[in-house]
Amino acid sequence: MTTYQPDPETVATESISTGELVNEMLAGTTSINHVEVIENVIDTLEQNDSAMVSHPSEGGYLWKFTYGSVEVFVQLTGTTDEDTITVWSSVLKLPAKDEPKLMRQLLEMNCSSTFESRFGIIEDQVVVIATRTLAELSAAEVSRLITVVATIADNNDDALQSEFGMA
């Protein structure tokens, strides 16, 4: 019968405290450049060279691009963990026909088909919107937020306008 003898060099981590181990792991991580990630995602989604960026006087960044039949906006308030990324797209102007039915439909959709985004109302417009702080936000999450909002808005704007639009 053969017995297993652990290699003393590979077991050396037992003498490292949990705090030291966490610090070692964190030292190996690098923060992502959110501006670069957002611009790369927009570059893959935008159509007809429609992407634009501005730097509002309040600070941060604001991008706009066309995806299908909708305009999508991405706002980054800054680059610290406390700052936020907000993605939104308008799908219907208000007032609308049969608003109680519209509101019920939007609430039902919020529960079943909007993933990390949601329908809301901003300045008399129904929008698809998602917001997240930058703390521990990965490049994949940035991509997903932008893609989810753009796709849900584009997939629903025509039907909502056809059924509930006033024009």
Side-chain angles (χ1 to χ4, degrees):
M1 179 169 179
T2 307
T3 59
Y4 171 74
Q5 294 295 323
D7 181 354
E9 290 180 25
T10 60
V11 183
T13 57
E14 290 177 9
S15 64
I16 296 177
S17 73
T18 304
E20 290 171 325
L21 192 56
V22 168
N23 287 339
E24 260 184 47
M25 291 170 58
L26 290 176
T29 63
T30 57
S31 62
I32 65 170
N33 181 333
H34 292 87
V35 171
E36 200 173 282
V37 170
I38 290 167
E39 289 180 348
N40 287 336
V41 172
I42 290 172
D43 191 46
T44 65
L45 294 175
E46 65 96 18
Q47 299 166 344
N48 305 321
D49 292 323
S50 61
M52 293 187 281
V53 63
S54 67
H55 303 282
S57 57
E58 312 85 53
Y61 300 84
L62 179 63
W63 292 267
K64 177 176 94 168
F65 67 97
T66 302
Y67 181 81
S69 57
V70 296
E71 284 188 330
V72 180
F73 297 85
V74 180
Q75 181 179 30
L76 186 64
T77 60
T79 57
T80 69
D81 282 353
E82 294 78 31
D83 285 307
T84 59
I85 179 174
T86 303
V87 185
W88 74 94
S89 180
S90 177
V91 293
L92 178 68
K93 291 182 191 235
L94 296 175
K97 291 184 261 180
D98 199 355
E99 284 194 21
K101 181 180 177 187
L102 169 64
M103 296 305 142
R104 180 179 179 98
Q105 183 172 328
L106 295 176
L107 281 173
E108 289 172 351
M109 292 169 73
N110 276 348
C111 281
S112 64
S113 62
T114 56
F115 303 103
E116 295 85 4
S117 69
R118 63 199 178 277
F119 285 97
I121 298 174
I122 299 175
E123 297 177 4
D124 289 328
Q125 294 187 50
V126 175
V127 297
V128 178
I129 188 168
T131 302
R132 167 106 159 55
T133 61
L134 300 185
E136 301 179 23
L137 181 66
S138 71
E141 289 174 291
V142 170
S143 178
R144 181 166 170 87
L145 279 178
I146 296 171
T147 303
V148 162
V149 168
T151 302
I152 289 173
D154 186 47
N155 287 349
N156 290 286
D157 67 321
D158 293 333
L160 290 171
Q161 290 169 19
S162 173
E163 185 172 354
F164 300 105
M166 294 293 274

